[in-house]
Amino acid sequence: MEAVRAIALMMGSAWASGINLYATILVLGWMGSTGQVDLPPALEVLTDPSVMLAAGVMYFVEFFADKTPGVDSGWDAIHTFIRIPAGAIMAAGAAQGLDISPAAELVAGLLGGTLAATSHATKAGSRLLINTSPEPVTNWIASITEDVAVIGGLWASLNHPWWFLAALVVFLLIVAWLLPRIWRALKRVARAVKRWFTGAPDDKPTQGPKEGFEQRRRDVLKELYHDAES
């Protein structure tokens, strides 16, 4: 059972880091410092008050940045270089609970980094599509859902590891189906934005610059709204 708990913590910390790293550090640090869970030696640093304070400050910043259309995608772009390496480090540290060799810990880190990259790509890609909608409500709903999922997922990985691992398999199956569709939708958005600025090949030559730009703007907005609804 201890091995299952360690594997669940390894996968859970990597998955959660790809979505919200600072919430992950706070949850694990709080649960470790209050004695609710025994963290592996490599993760005990998360219980340090200075680490928890820094994570709390950054989570406060991310709480609002992640709910602002446009800002959330910029935040995700920057954190591509933070969440994925952190997910790998978290997974390698959690793997110490399995009492395995350094080589196996490295493999665990590579798997954790891949899992963090998967959850991060899903979050960032879906946010880019959500930002094609003109209202901010969906950003708040998506962000709060992600926060709840991270906190609930980490709690489940520590208290109900079998249930968490089963849910993680379902998540990966959904992502395998979803990511190609997100990629195709993003390419459509990119083409629509390009036409907005450069003009479609079939623009009428009788249109002046202002009329042509306005027509392109209406066409692009129509296409973006269609993508957001679908």
Side-chain angles (χ1 to χ4, degrees), residues 92-176:
Q96 287 190 356
L98 294 171
D99 192 22
I100 56 180
S101 66
E105 287 184 20
L106 177 59
V107 172
L110 293 174
L111 292 175
T114 302
L115 183 55
T118 301
S119 58
H120 170 72
T122 306
K123 168 190 167 71
S126 59
R127 285 305 190 85
L128 281 170
L129 293 180
I130 288 174
N131 284 335
T132 63
S133 175
E135 42 74 34
V137 177
T138 48
N139 295 78
W140 278 82
I141 294 174
S143 181
I144 292 173
T145 301
E146 292 160 1
D147 291 347
V148 172
V150 166
I151 296 171
L154 286 173
W155 178 85
S157 70
L158 295 169
N159 293 279
H160 303 283
W162 282 111
W163 284 105
F164 171 77
L165 291 174
L168 183 61
V169 171
V170 174
F171 168 80
L172 292 175
L173 291 175
I174 293 174
V175 166

Side-chain angles (χ1 to χ4, degrees), residues 17-211:
S17 295
I19 300 173
N20 192 319
L21 173 62
Y22 307 117
T24 302
I25 294 174
L26 278 175
V27 171
L28 292 178
W30 177 73
M31 295 187 74
S33 62
T34 56
Q36 298 184 51
V37 63
D38 293 325
L39 295 175
L43 297 184
E44 288 180 354
V45 67
L46 302 181
T47 64
D48 187 281
S50 61
V51 174
M52 294 183 65
L53 177 61
V57 171
M58 292 306 298
Y59 176 71
F60 178 80
V61 175
E62 179 163 328
F63 183 85
F64 294 99
D66 201 47
K67 295 171 178 60
T68 306
V71 176
D72 57 349
S73 291
W75 186 266
D76 286 338
I78 294 172
H79 280 75
T80 300
F81 307 99
I82 301 174
R83 292 173 183 159
I84 297 174
I89 294 171
M90 290 279 200
Q96 287 190 356
L98 294 171
D99 192 22
I100 56 180
S101 66
E105 287 184 20
L106 177 59
V107 172
L110 293 174
L111 292 175
T114 302
L115 183 55
T118 301
S119 58
H120 170 72
T122 306
K123 168 190 167 71
S126 59
R127 285 305 190 85
L128 281 170
L129 293 180
I130 288 174
N131 284 335
T132 63
S133 175
E135 42 74 34
V137 177
T138 48
N139 295 78
W140 278 82
I141 294 174
S143 181
I144 292 173
T145 301
E146 292 160 1
D147 291 347
V148 172
V150 166
I151 296 171
L154 286 173
W155 178 85
S157 70
L158 295 169
N159 293 279
H160 303 283
W162 282 111
W163 284 105
F164 171 77
L165 291 174
L168 183 61
V169 171
V170 174
F171 168 80
L172 292 175
L173 291 175
I174 293 174
V175 166
W177 174 84
L178 187 62
L179 277 181
R181 288 161 175 78
I182 291 178
W183 177 247
R184 287 196 294 269
L186 289 176
K187 288 198 294 185
R188 289 198 301 270
V189 171
R191 287 196 299 267
V193 172
K194 182 179 179 180
R195 286 200 301 273
W196 187 347
F197 289 100
T198 63
D202 57 350
D203 279 344
K204 296 180 181 179
T206 56
Q207 289 179 322
K210 182 177 180 180
E211 291 79 1

